[in-house]
Each structure stands twice: as C-alpha cells, then as structure tokens.
Amino acid sequence: MSPTQPNEWLLLERTVRFGEIDAAGVLHFHHLLRWCHEAWEESLERYGINAVDIFPSKLDVTDSLRVALPIIHCEADFRLPIKCGDHLLIRLEPQRIDVGSFQVRTKFQRDGQEVAIGLVRHLAIDSTTRERCDLPQDIDLWLEASSLNLGLRPV
Amino acid sequence: MSPTQPNEWLLLERTVRFGEIDAAGVLHFHHLLRWCHEAWEESLERYGINAVDIFPSKLDVTDSLRVALPIIHCEADFRLPIKCGDHLLIRLEPQRIDVGSFQVRTKFQRDGQEVAIGLVRHLAIDSTTRERCDLPQDIDLWLEASSLNLGLRPV
Amino acid sequence: MSPTQPNEWLLLERTVRFGEIDAAGVLHFHHLLRWCHEAWEESLERYGINAVDIFPSKLDVTDSLRVALPIIHCEADFRLPIKCGDHLLIRLEPQRIDVGSFQVRTKFQRDGQEVAIGLVRHLAIDSTTRERCDLPQDIDLWLEASSLNLGLRPV
Amino acid sequence: MSPTQPNEWLLLERTVRFGEIDAAGVLHFHHLLRWCHEAWEESLERYGINAVDIFPSKLDVTDSLRVALPIIHCEADFRLPIKCGDHLLIRLEPQRIDVGSFQVRTKFQRDGQEVAIGLVRHLAIDSTTRERCDLPQDIDLWLEASSLNLGLRPV
C-alpha cells in the first residue's frame, strides 16, 4: 500500500508564515528545525506509517511504544534569506547510520535555489530500559525504500 | 482570478504534529491560535492575495505597507482532546465588524466532530500614525466574498 | 514552607525576546498565551509546588498523575504594542470557579501601563476515566492563598 | 557601567516549562536552539547592551540599524533527557571567528552534568547592501570581555 515513487514521500512543500518571520524580515532560525521534524512526520505518513505507531502518546498508556527515537544531534545552515509567503520545496534525504540510528538531511529550495539545509539525527532506545536497540521495522522499511531511490552514500 | 467557490479558500486541512503535543498527550493549547493565524494566511493566499501586500516585511523598506492589522483580541475553546496525527478540517468564518476591523472564527473538526474553535480580531491602523483607518481593499474583497457565501450574521 | 507574601508568587517579570517579535515589530500574538502558562508554572513553583506533582511526565509511567488539568478556554486582549527588549511586570489573578475548575487572569504591565491581558481556564479530570473531578489539593491551596490576597470576587 | 565578573553575563539559569516537553516526556529538541538565542540576548542585556541597539525593530523606521547579524549556522547535541521542571545552568562561550562573524557555544547543565550543548554562528552584514561588514562595536566589546574571561581558544 506504500507509494512506489520516492517523490511521493521525499519531496514536500511548505509556505512560510508570518509568525515565523522576525523583525529583521527573515525566517527566525529555529523554526527551520521544527520544519525538518514536521517534514519527517509528513514523509512517514505519506509512505504509509501511522503517527501512533512511531510517536508516543500519553493517552495510549495501555499500549505504549517499545522503541523511542530521541534526537541526539541537529544542525542547520542558512544560505539565503527566507521571507514571508515564500513557497519552499522540501527534499528529504534519509540515511541509516547503523542498526540503531539514522539521520535525515532536509534541503529547502526556492525557485531552484537552495536556501537552507537541516539535519536531524535519531537514536533508537528501548523506552523502558533507555538502552540502545534496533530501529523499529517501519522506520527500517522507510529508510530502505528511501535509500534505494537516493542511492546509497557514506555518512 | 480569485476562486469562486468559498470552499476553495475557507475550508482547509491540517495534520497535528508531534511537537505540538505535550506530555499529557494532547495539543498544547496555544498552538491552536497559531493555527488560526496560519489558516487565515492560507485563506488569503488561496483567494489570490499575496502575502507581501498584507504582511509587513522589513526587507521591503522602500515600499512599506500603509496599513497594519494588529490583533486586539483572540480566544479559543477546546471541546475534545486533539492528538498527534489527527487530520483536522478547518473552516474559517470571516466577518467584518466595521469599516476598520474584522474577525475570523476558525472551527476545527475531526471526523465530523468539532474539537476546538478559535477567534482572532484585527484592527486596521495607519502604520505611520498608528491611528485607526479603513481596512485594506484586498481584505475588504475577501471579507465580502466570504460573507456572501456564509450569509451575513450579527457580531 | 510556602511563601506568605502573594507578591512572591503572583508578581513575576519577563523580558520580551527577539524571536517573539514579528516583522511588524511587535509581539506575535500567540506567544502571550504561552507566557500566561509559563507564568502559572512559575507561580506554582514559587509557592512551593513541584512541577512533577502537577504536570504529567511520560517518563514517570509507574507513578502517573491521577488528575489532569486540561485547558478548556483561553483569551487575550492586546492594548499597546509590545516590543523587543520590553521589561514586563506580570500579575496573576487566579480564581476558583467551582470544585473542579479554575482560571488565571494574567495582566502584563510596562512602566505602570497595562499592555495586554490573558486568561486561561482549566478543568480537572480524572486522567484515567476522563471524567470531571475535584481539583488537586495543591492547586486548591494555591488558589486559596491567592484569593485571600487578592480578595474574593465573582467570575 | 558593564559588569566586571563574567559570571554576571555568561552564566544564566532557566527552568524547563511544560509546553517545551513532548509526549515522550522530554524536551522537544528545537526549543534548545530558541533557548540559545534567548540566552545570548539576556547575556548582552546583562553586559549593558540595549536590545534596540542590536535587534531590528520595524517601529523604529527612522533610525534603523546599519548592521544585521543573521544566523548562518546552528547545531545542538543532546546528551541526557531534559524534563519538565528541570533547573538548568546555562554557560555561554562566545567566540569571535573573524572581524565580521562570531559564534556562541551554549552549555546546559543540570546538577553538574552537561545535558545538552548548542552552537549558533552569526555573520555581520550591512543591512542596506546585504554585503559582509565588521561586527558592531557593542558586540566586539562583549566578545572581547567574554574572551578574556574564558581564555582565547581556536575555532
């Protein structure tokens, strides 16, 4: 049931909103990292993975998730000013690092020019013991499908 | 060039993201008011109004906007828990209050049930003198077109 | 061990930061409601109530909270422009509504002038059954001590 | 009139608030970068620099700033879970990179343990031409005073 064309889950769009712009008239920087996380969530959803199977929800206490995916590192580079109303193309480049961690590089383009790039790195841990463990199978499948399309590359 | 069916600019969608959910497992309340503003921006954009014609941008100092639309009041009511991954239908009900102010009531539904409702009220002021003035013509047209579709109603 | 002077837990301060200001040069509205919640948290803390006894924490699954305090309503009025670097005085006016709900009115002043006012209303629910219940005792004590100082007043 | 002890402007504190915690019960990552920026602002303020002399403000159009300080890079590493109510000690390590750029490394500690570290890099540009220029004198003085106290070190 998953899409077969990577563009369906690795190529997204976003319009920059007024509240994300500061008094210098450009994107206030940290929103970009929020966008990276939201793009990742949208990518998983488009690929066919349900939010409740990946993201913890206090309300589902009877059936909580075995694996948590905390972020251990993030970074961003800003190349060109991003302004209110800009239509951005978002390209995700997910990459498995090892059996228990992965990262997503997220490139933001406007009119064919790269305006910013973000990177978020996740570690899989057992949500009870807090020890490192393998990635959930759903994430593995999404990484595999994404890698095939992007070509494998070294970290 | 504006759309002629109100659903094209008054009926939007949004998926709830992980970073908007707090440790109680539900939407952290103030994000709803951010959603209201972003829905308003998306509505204007779909109707055919450019962000740069309404929202100030420090970078355009040579051609700054004559009218600002500060928010003087906002409120929200929360009816049902909103959770991560929820697909929400967003219905905007814009309403002119007088020649120099308007408000937008924004209703959030999930599976046909209203989960929350927000309201944001704007005042038009001259951006130089800070005195009250008439609404910009673009906003007036958007309000007019929206009212026709919704039917006129008292504040 | 609680403080005995209300000013110690009902009168706070905050400096407006750059990322809270939009391209119109003033506070982007929804941050005010975030400030209201954070002021409430700081007030409880100063009164002597620990965050872990009121706010749910997924990590403490073995000892989760019996009562949740979801927000059912919030509102804000904006009187004067709030700018970057402004030093604001924050005055909380908590008020019990009935045995199972309360609200906090939060007034923001700059140089003796009221610039904005927010209101957040909470309902107590049993975190398992999601049914209405009585307020937690800690909140009751904080409301009682606060009311004595402010004088009782009608909703 | 500036403080003479670096701890007065390079050593700050912050309490983690409920809205910054996600449904996994820990800090939602991107808030840390917001904290870095806010800590930088507080550091400048404590050192004796006014926000209006560094941060643009649309309202002051007649007297706008000659130099803007856009962020070109940021990153963060997360070492230990950060939870609601945590009291964090924040240590800033500012560093001049060259005459037109600087960065601030910001270390977050809880009970003597480092829980996270952030880094934000700024470039000075002429706000009219958008060309690179020298850092504003105020920032230079703050960097100089901070370096003396921290000891000079290579990038």
Side-chain angles (χ1 to χ4, degrees):
Chain A
M1 221 73 87
S2 298
T4 52
Q5 293 305 312
N7 281 0
E8 295 175 38
W9 78 88
L10 297 178
L11 202 57
L12 310 173
E13 286 176 81
R14 180 166 200 124
T15 302
V16 183
R17 297 302 174 199
F18 182 59
E20 300 168 333
I21 298 301
D22 62 26
V26 298
L27 173 70
H28 193 60
F29 79 117
H30 61 70
H31 294 294
L32 193 100
L33 288 154
R34 174 168 59 81
W35 295 352
C36 289
H37 200 285
E38 293 180 2
W40 174 51
E41 294 176 64
E42 186 176 344
S43 178
L44 293 180
E45 185 184 30
R46 288 188 178 208
Y47 184 68
I49 300 175
N50 289 322
V52 292
D53 292 330
I54 298 297
F55 301 105
S57 163
K58 182 74 175 173
L59 297 180
D60 302 322
V61 283
T62 52
D63 184 30
S64 71
L65 297 169
R66 200 185 57 82
V67 179
L69 295 169
I71 289 165
I72 52 170
H73 176 77
C74 69
E75 56 182 89
D77 288 288
F78 303 89
R79 305 267 158 79
L80 290 171
I82 297 173
K83 292 170 293 176
C84 182
D86 277 358
H87 297 281
L88 302 180
L89 192 69
I90 304 176
R91 190 182 301 273
L92 287 84
E93 297 182 2
Q95 186 179 20
R96 184 188 287 104
I97 296 171
D98 57 35
V99 292
S101 66
F102 71 100
Q103 66 186 19
V104 185
R105 181 168 276 112
T106 309
K107 296 177 173 176
F108 297 85
Q109 291 188 327
R110 180 186 54 216
D111 302 331
Q113 278 196 299
E114 192 166 287
V115 292
I117 182 166
L119 179 95
V120 177
R121 194 173 297 148
H122 296 260
L123 192 70
I125 60 168
D126 183 293
S127 55
T128 308
T129 64
R130 312 290 294 174
E131 298 291 321
R132 291 190 62 159
C133 65
D134 288 0
L135 293 170
Q137 193 180 14
D138 280 350
I139 294 290
D140 242 6
L141 291 171
W142 171 79
L143 284 167
E144 188 68 19
S146 303
S147 294
L148 286 173
N149 281 290
L150 296 167
L152 297 172
R153 67 195 69 190
V155 181
Chain B
M1 221 72 86
S2 297
T4 51
Q5 294 305 314
N7 281 359
E8 295 175 38
W9 78 88
L10 297 178
L11 202 56
L12 311 173
E13 286 176 81
R14 179 166 201 125
T15 302
V16 183
R17 297 301 174 200
F18 182 59
E20 299 168 335
I21 298 300
D22 61 27
V26 298
L27 174 70
H28 193 60
F29 79 116
H30 61 70
H31 294 294
L32 192 101
L33 288 155
R34 174 168 59 81
W35 295 353
C36 289
H37 201 285
E38 293 180 2
W40 175 51
E41 294 176 65
E42 186 176 344
S43 177
L44 293 180
E45 185 184 31
R46 289 188 179 208
Y47 184 68
I49 300 175
N50 288 320
V52 293
D53 293 331
I54 297 297
F55 301 104
S57 163
K58 181 74 177 173
L59 297 180
D60 302 321
V61 283
T62 53
D63 184 30
S64 70
L65 296 170
R66 200 185 58 81
V67 180
L69 295 169
I71 289 165
I72 53 170
H73 177 77
C74 69
E75 57 182 87
D77 288 287
F78 303 89
R79 305 267 158 80
L80 289 172
I82 298 174
K83 293 169 292 175
C84 183
D86 277 358
H87 297 282
L88 303 179
L89 192 70
I90 303 177
R91 190 182 301 273
L92 287 84
E93 297 183 1
Q95 185 179 21
R96 185 189 288 104
I97 297 171
D98 56 37
V99 292
S101 66
F102 72 100
Q103 66 187 19
V104 185
R105 183 167 276 113
T106 308
K107 295 177 172 175
F108 296 84
Q109 290 188 327
R110 179 187 55 216
D111 302 332
Q113 277 196 299
E114 193 166 287
V115 292
I117 182 165
L119 179 96
V120 177
R121 194 173 297 147
H122 297 259
L123 192 69
I125 61 169
D126 183 293
S127 55
T128 308
T129 65
R130 312 290 295 174
E131 297 292 321
R132 291 190 61 159
C133 67
D134 287 359
L135 293 170
Q137 193 179 14
D138 280 351
I139 294 290
D140 243 6
L141 291 172
W142 171 79
L143 284 167
E144 188 68 18
S146 302
S147 293
L148 287 173
N149 281 289
L150 296 168
L152 297 172
R153 67 195 70 189
V155 179
Chain C
M1 220 73 85
S2 298
T4 52
Q5 292 305 312
N7 281 359
E8 295 175 38
W9 78 87
L10 297 178
L11 202 57
L12 310 173
E13 286 175 81
R14 179 165 200 126
T15 302
V16 183
R17 297 301 174 199
F18 183 59
E20 299 169 333
I21 298 301
D22 62 26
V26 298
L27 174 70
H28 193 60
F29 79 116
H30 61 70
H31 294 293
L32 193 100
L33 288 155
R34 174 167 59 81
W35 295 352
C36 289
H37 201 285
E38 293 180 2
W40 174 50
E41 294 176 66
E42 186 176 343
S43 177
L44 293 181
E45 185 184 30
R46 289 188 179 208
Y47 183 69
I49 300 175
N50 289 321
V52 293
D53 293 331
I54 297 297
F55 300 105
S57 163
K58 181 75 176 174
L59 297 181
D60 302 322
V61 283
T62 52
D63 184 31
S64 70
L65 297 170
R66 200 184 58 82
V67 179
L69 296 169
I71 289 165
I72 53 170
H73 176 77
C74 68
E75 57 182 88
D77 288 287
F78 303 89
R79 306 267 157 80
L80 290 171
I82 298 173
K83 293 169 292 175
C84 182
D86 277 358
H87 296 282
L88 303 179
L89 192 69
I90 304 176
R91 189 182 302 272
L92 287 84
E93 297 182 1
Q95 185 179 21
R96 185 188 286 105
I97 297 171
D98 57 36
V99 292
S101 66
F102 71 100
Q103 65 186 18
V104 185
R105 182 168 275 112
T106 309
K107 296 177 172 175
F108 296 85
Q109 290 188 327
R110 181 187 54 215
D111 302 332
Q113 278 195 299
E114 192 165 286
V115 292
I117 182 165
L119 179 97
V120 178
R121 193 173 299 148
H122 297 259
L123 192 71
I125 61 168
D126 182 295
S127 54
T128 308
T129 65
R130 313 291 292 175
E131 298 291 321
R132 292 190 61 161
C133 65
D134 287 0
L135 293 169
Q137 193 180 14
D138 280 350
I139 294 289
D140 243 5
L141 291 171
W142 171 79
L143 283 168
E144 188 68 20
S146 303
S147 293
L148 286 174
N149 281 288
L150 296 168
L152 297 172
R153 68 195 71 190
V155 179
Chain D
M1 221 73 85
S2 297
T4 51
Q5 293 305 313
N7 281 359
E8 295 176 38
W9 79 87
L10 297 178
L11 202 58
L12 310 174
E13 286 175 82
R14 179 166 200 124
T15 302
V16 183
R17 297 301 175 200
F18 182 59
E20 300 168 334
I21 298 301
D22 62 27
V26 298
L27 174 70
H28 193 60
F29 79 116
H30 61 70
H31 294 294
L32 192 100
L33 288 155
R34 174 168 59 82
W35 295 353
C36 289
H37 201 285
E38 293 180 2
W40 174 51
E41 294 176 65
E42 185 176 344
S43 177
L44 293 180
E45 185 185 31
R46 288 188 179 207
Y47 184 68
I49 301 175
N50 288 321
V52 293
D53 293 331
I54 297 297
F55 300 105
S57 162
K58 182 76 176 174
L59 297 180
D60 303 320
V61 283
T62 53
D63 184 31
S64 70
L65 297 170
R66 201 185 58 81
V67 180
L69 295 169
I71 289 164
I72 53 170
H73 176 77
C74 68
E75 57 182 87
D77 289 287
F78 303 89
R79 306 266 158 81
L80 289 172
I82 298 174
K83 292 169 292 174
C84 183
D86 278 358
H87 297 281
L88 302 179
L89 191 70
I90 304 176
R91 190 182 302 273
L92 287 84
E93 297 183 1
Q95 184 179 21
R96 186 188 286 105
I97 297 171
D98 56 36
V99 292
S101 67
F102 71 100
Q103 66 186 19
V104 184
R105 183 168 276 112
T106 308
K107 296 177 172 174
F108 296 85
Q109 290 187 326
R110 181 188 52 216
D111 302 332
Q113 277 196 299
E114 193 165 287
V115 292
I117 181 165
L119 179 97
V120 178
R121 193 173 297 147
H122 297 259
L123 192 70
I125 62 169
D126 182 294
S127 55
T128 309
T129 65
R130 311 292 292 175
E131 297 291 321
R132 291 191 60 159
C133 66
D134 287 0
L135 292 170
Q137 194 181 12
D138 280 350
I139 294 289
D140 244 5
L141 290 172
W142 170 78
L143 283 167
E144 188 67 20
S146 302
S147 294
L148 286 174
N149 281 291
L150 295 168
L152 297 171
R153 68 195 68 189
V155 180

